[in-house]
């Protein structure tokens, strides 16, 4: 078959396949155009999940008669002052959205520029544009898209249900609304009730207001402000305390120069920053905004502009990890799941009917015969059968000691009063009580001491008697050797051993008898995906966490009163003591007012 030039309509439909993937793609492109036009309000309406109709109205600058005529031509744009694609300051820049939409749907544009006597309208159907006609519109631009994919019916079979497509549109608008809290957004459609996000005040307070409106009150109440700046790159935003997590990473919203993106580098940085706080199967909720000079980031690497490439990716990643860790450490006491309503709701009486075959004698609370009585409580009961309600004495009780000093009661974790089930310490504060899991608390203390020792003294190494030779492909060997100095700082010393092989001479002592070949392959895979060597550091921290778990006070150990108080004081002086290394809370705090509410006293 000879080579031939494709017709313009076919070219437009091929381009539309990259830009217009589904109705949400249309909404994204049109709302970005409205934002670039300086709109302060954007209204979005959809019908049939965007398949039948999409309407976008804004109060931006609008277009003149001449601009409107060019706007629906391919690669015609007002957003590039010159031909430098590395200085992009707008969301759109390619000039493909409108012609691509017009190639597969019925497109209508009505717009009015401040310098025009009236509005102008233009329609495009199947790539054919009409003559420009006068129209009525007070300000801005109104874009109507109907019968999406009518010109390419095969694409309709790949769309989901109307509700699913409407939810995808909602997610697109949510992300754009988070990026620009200074703009008011209204989203309406027959699939769900209309929602309006009013314009917020500038600054961090306004941004948190918009994020709270979109992500919910739980995020607003647990949000921690994060901020860091270095070498012209700024990271700011809000991260939820580890008490608020998700089962997947969909709650992580990332923006680069105001553009919503999904970037593996940033997602990896978020995961690394929370590695000391969350279990592996839980993901944090964050909204991070990265600002840098346009020439330091390439936005022209994805057809839908949902991915970017940084010139100095290592700096951005390090800055995100530093900002998140700094914020989490600063708000250490808020990071545990100890101040929300979970503990109180667990105390509320349940009215679930008890099984008919339930036997109280099989209850875990049934007293063991011969259990020591406390203060003669059982003997004070009138009936012999009531003696069964004596559940025994606490395992370590300090109630009959002198009243604790006032300074202990004023400490954040208070004064130890008792130990129950040889696992939990109950302490009294000035305005409530605290229940501490002694094993989880001591586990965090030991772990932080191990981390501090590693940071101060470095990673202890073990020299291999006979260097282990690991064969890998040449590209992987080059990547590892490029980062050899960084790997050496973590205790892994490698040298080149000819093409396609490396010699491992030293390994971290913490890893014990390590499988050097498996370790290097694991590092190479992560470096190919994330472009960093931190998996080795995380592996060392995982070993340190395991050592901390086995070296800490075990559940079931009876503690003396002075030991309990010493543990509480150490918790107060230890960073991140709100949860253990596995992400579980180390203590739960109940205010006296909350306890009174449980008993109907207020």
């Amino acid at each position: 078959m000879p080579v031939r030039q494709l017709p313009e309509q076919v070219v437009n439909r091929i381009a539309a396949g990259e830009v217009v993937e589904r109705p949400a793609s249309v909404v994204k492109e049109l709302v970005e155009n409205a934002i670039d036009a300086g709109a302060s309000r954007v209204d979005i309406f959809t019908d049939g999940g965007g398949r039948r109709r999409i309407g976008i109205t804004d109060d931006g600058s609008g277009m003149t008669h001449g601009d409107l005529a060019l706007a629906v031509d391919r690669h015609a744009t007002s957003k590039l002052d010159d031909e430098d694609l590395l200085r992009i300051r707008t969301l759109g820049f390619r000039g493909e959205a409108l012609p691509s939409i017009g190639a597969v749907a019925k497109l209508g544009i009505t717009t009015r520029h401040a310098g025009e006597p009236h509005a102008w309208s233009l329609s495009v159907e199947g790539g054919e544009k009409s003559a420009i006609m006068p129209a009525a519109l007070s300000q801005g631009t109104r874009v109507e898209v109907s019968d999406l994919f009518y010109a390419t019916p095969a694409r309709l079979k790949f769309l989901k249900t109307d509700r699913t497509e409407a939810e995808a549109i909602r997610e697109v608008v949510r992300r754009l609304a988070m990026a620009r809290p200074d703009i008011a957004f209204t989203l309406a459609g027959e699939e769900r009730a209309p929602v309006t996000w009013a314009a917020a005040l500038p600054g961090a307070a306004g941004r948190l207001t918009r994020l709270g409106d979109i992500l919910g009150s739980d995020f607003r109440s647990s949000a921690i402000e994060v901020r860091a700046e270095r070498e012209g790159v700024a990271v700011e935003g809000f991260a939820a305390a580890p008490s608020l997590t998700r089962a997947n990473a969909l709650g992580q919203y990332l923006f680069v120069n105001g553009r919503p993106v999904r970037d593996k580098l940033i997602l990896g940085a978020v995961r690394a920053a929370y590695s000391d706080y969350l279990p592996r199967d839980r993901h944090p909720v964050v909204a991070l905004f990265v600002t840098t000079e346009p020439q330091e980031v390439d936005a022209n690497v994805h057809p839908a502009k949902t991915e970017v490439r940084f010139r100095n990716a290592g700096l951005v990643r390090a800055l995100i990890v530093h900002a998140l860790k700094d914020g989490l450490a600063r708000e250490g006491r808020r990071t545990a799941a100890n101040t929300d309503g979970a503990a109180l709701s667990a105390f509320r009486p349940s009215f679930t009917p008890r099984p008919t075959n339930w036997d109280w004698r099989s209850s875990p609370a049934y007293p063991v015969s011969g259990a020591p009585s406390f203060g003669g409580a059982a003997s004070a009961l009138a009936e012999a059968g009531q003696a069964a309600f004596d559940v025994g004495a606490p395992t370590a009780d300090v109630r009959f000691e002198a009243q604790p000093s006032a300074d202990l009661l004023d400490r954040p974790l208070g004064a130890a009063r008792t130990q129950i089930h040889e696992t939990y310490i109950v302490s009294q504060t000035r305005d409530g009580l605290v229940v501490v899991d002694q094993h989880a608390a001591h586990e965090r203390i030991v772990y932080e001491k191990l981390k501090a020792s590693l940071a101060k003294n470095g990673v202890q190494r073990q020299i291999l008697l006979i260097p282990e030779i690991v064969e890998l492909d040449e590209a992987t060997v080059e990547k590892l050797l490029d980062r050899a100095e960084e790997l050496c700082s973590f205790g892994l010393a490698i040298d080149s051993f000819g093409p396609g092989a490396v010699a491992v001479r030293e390994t971290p002592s913490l890893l014990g008898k390590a499988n050097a070949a498996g370790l290097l392959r694991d590092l190479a895979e992560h470096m190919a995906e994330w472009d960093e060597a931190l998996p080795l550091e995380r592996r060392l921290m995982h070993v340190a966490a395991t050592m901390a778990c086995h070296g800490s006070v075990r559940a079931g150990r009876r503690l003396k009163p002075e030991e309990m108080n010493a543990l509480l004081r150490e918790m107060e002086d230890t960073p991140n003591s709100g949860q253990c290394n596995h992400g579980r809370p180390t203590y739960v705090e109940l205010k006296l007012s909350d306890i009174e509410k449980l008993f109907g006293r207020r």
Side-chain angles (χ1 to χ4, degrees):
M1 184 180 293
V3 177
R4 65 189 181 92
Q5 186 72 42
L6 293 175
E8 185 179 353
Q9 286 187 342
V10 177
V11 172
N12 286 342
R13 290 177 185 176
I14 292 174
E18 295 180 343
V19 178
V20 185
E21 179 186 358
R22 60 195 304 187
S25 307
V26 176
V27 173
K28 173 182 175 295
E29 297 290 344
L30 296 180
V31 173
E32 286 181 350
N33 281 346
I35 294 173
D36 288 339
S40 61
R41 180 177 186 84
V42 182
D43 298 326
I44 303 104
F45 177 82
T46 64
D47 184 20
R51 198 174 347 210
R52 288 192 291 269
R53 183 188 168 206
I54 295 173
I56 312 287
T57 304
D58 68 71
D59 61 354
S61 59
M63 290 181 282
T64 63
H65 180 282
D67 288 345
L68 180 59
L70 283 174
V72 293
D73 291 340
R74 286 182 58 74
H75 305 304
T77 180
S78 63
K79 301 171 185 179
L80 288 177
D81 296 333
D82 49 30
E83 297 178 1
D84 188 358
L85 287 177
L86 296 180
R87 294 182 180 272
I88 297 170
R89 300 183 181 274
T90 55
L91 296 178
F93 55 88
R94 293 191 185 128
E96 288 186 322
L98 293 178
S100 296
I101 295 169
V104 296
K106 297 175 181 177
L107 173 66
I109 306 174
T110 304
T111 182
R112 181 175 183 180
H113 189 270
E116 295 284 334
H118 53 75
W120 300 98
S121 68
L122 172 70
S123 62
V124 182
E125 291 192 17
E128 297 291 335
K129 65 179 181 180
S130 69
I132 298 178
M133 303 290 291
L137 186 68
S138 60
Q139 182 186 6
T141 302
R142 182 174 65 243
V143 181
E144 297 277 349
V145 179
S146 58
D147 294 336
L148 185 61
F149 297 133
Y150 90 99
T152 53
R155 298 284 301 278
L156 290 170
K157 294 186 293 185
F158 294 94
L159 295 183
K160 308 295 184 183
T161 63
D162 289 356
R163 183 170 291 277
T164 302
E165 296 297 340
E167 190 57 38
I169 291 172
R170 183 182 177 88
E171 182 62 21
V172 164
V173 177
R174 278 159 51 100
R175 288 180 179 273
L176 290 168
M178 280 189 267
R180 293 297 301 269
D182 57 318
I183 299 176
F185 289 86
T186 298
L187 175 61
E190 64 173 16
E191 291 81 15
R192 58 171 66 239
V195 58
T196 297
W197 296 297
L201 295 172
R207 176 171 285 165
L208 180 58
T209 299
R210 172 62 60 85
L211 292 175
D213 291 342
I214 295 174
L215 299 179
S217 57
D218 287 347
F219 179 83
R220 183 190 289 114
S221 61
S222 64
I224 298 170
E225 185 176 3
V226 295
R227 184 186 300 271
E229 187 172 359
R230 190 192 311 159
E231 298 179 24
V233 180
V235 174
E236 54 187 357
F238 291 88
S243 56
L244 180 64
T245 61
R246 298 284 186 268
N248 51 47
L250 296 180
Q252 296 171 17
Y253 298 91
L254 313 170
F255 307 87
V256 177
N257 288 346
R259 184 189 307 278
V261 298
R262 299 287 296 177
D263 188 84
K264 289 182 179 180
L265 169 83
I266 302 180
L267 290 174
V270 172
R271 186 168 59 186
Y274 275 86
S275 59
D276 277 356
Y277 297 88
L278 297 181
R280 291 187 176 184
D281 59 342
R282 302 302 297 178
H283 299 266
V285 182
V286 300
L288 296 179
F289 301 81
V290 179
T291 306
T292 183
E293 288 297 321
Q295 61 267 25
E296 297 297 320
V297 59
D298 187 1
N300 193 28
V301 296
H302 191 276
K305 299 172 295 215
T306 57
E307 296 179 8
V308 295
R309 183 179 294 122
F310 294 98
R311 178 171 292 181
N312 190 348
L315 171 63
V316 176
R317 187 193 188 285
L319 204 58
I320 290 173
V321 173
H322 169 72
L324 287 172
K325 283 192 171 182
D326 184 61
L328 291 171
R330 186 180 66 248
E331 302 284 346
R333 294 208 61 217
R334 287 181 54 203
T335 57
N338 50 26
T339 54
D340 57 10
L344 283 175
S345 60
F347 279 103
R348 301 193 191 283
S350 172
F351 296 98
T352 305
R354 184 168 287 163
T356 54
N357 60 349
W358 182 78
D359 183 7
W360 66 275
R361 296 176 186 84
S362 63
S363 168
Y366 181 67
V368 180
S369 59
S373 62
F374 177 62
S379 61
L381 297 168
E383 300 293 335
Q386 291 177 337
F389 292 98
D390 174 24
V391 296
T395 52
D397 197 282
V398 293
R399 285 181 295 172
F400 292 122
E401 292 194 357
Q403 184 70 17
S405 59
D407 63 324
L408 286 183
L409 291 177
D410 290 328
R411 298 296 292 265
L413 295 180
R417 302 300 280 157
T418 188
Q419 181 192 29
I420 56 176
H421 296 295
E422 298 178 347
T423 304
Y424 303 101
I425 299 170
V426 180
S427 66
Q428 177 184 348
T429 62
R430 184 70 68 181
D431 58 349
L433 62 88
V434 177
V435 182
V436 177
D437 182 335
Q438 67 188 38
H439 172 66
H442 198 245
E443 188 177 347
R444 168 60 75 175
I445 292 170
V446 175
Y447 178 55
E448 292 295 335
K449 287 181 178 178
L450 274 172
K451 282 173 59 180
S453 175
L454 285 174
K456 182 179 180 181
N457 304 319
V459 179
Q460 300 299 314
R461 312 176 184 191
Q462 54 187 4
I463 301 175
L464 301 183
L465 185 62
I466 301 175
E468 186 167 345
I469 309 303
V470 181
E471 294 186 356
L472 301 163
D473 62 86
E474 291 189 29
T476 302
V477 169
E478 288 181 8
K479 286 183 179 178
L480 288 170
L481 293 177
D482 287 343
R483 310 297 284 271
E485 188 175 337
E486 188 176 351
L487 292 173
C488 190
S489 68
F490 294 129
L492 183 66
I494 61 174
D495 292 323
S496 175
F497 197 77
V502 294
V504 181
R505 303 190 182 280
E506 299 177 9
T507 60
S509 300
L510 270 177
L511 297 184
K513 190 176 180 181
N515 177 2
L519 176 60
L520 279 181
R521 290 191 178 95
D522 185 42
L523 283 171
E525 289 175 5
H526 280 84
M527 288 168 68
E529 183 178 359
W530 305 109
D531 189 31
E532 46 93 7
L534 272 179
L536 179 57
E537 183 184 16
R538 285 205 295 271
R539 191 161 177 170
L540 292 174
M541 288 300 102
H542 177 69
V543 174
T546 305
M547 292 172 60
C549 184
H550 290 284
S552 56
V553 173
R554 310 301 296 178
R557 174 180 164 185
R558 183 171 297 186
L559 299 179
K560 298 177 181 178
E562 53 270 22
E563 290 178 315
M564 290 188 282
N565 277 310
L567 182 63
L568 296 180
R569 302 293 80 79
E570 277 197 278
M571 286 180 66
E572 293 167 352
D573 297 334
T574 301
N576 311 320
S577 62
Q579 56 279 121
C580 73
N581 348 330
H582 309 297
R584 295 189 297 268
T586 57
Y587 70 92
V588 173
E589 184 176 9
L590 291 174
K591 297 296 184 184
L592 189 59
S593 58
D594 295 327
I595 299 174
E596 290 174 343
K597 287 179 184 176
L598 286 173
F599 290 96
R601 288 180 172 269
R602 56 162 52 191

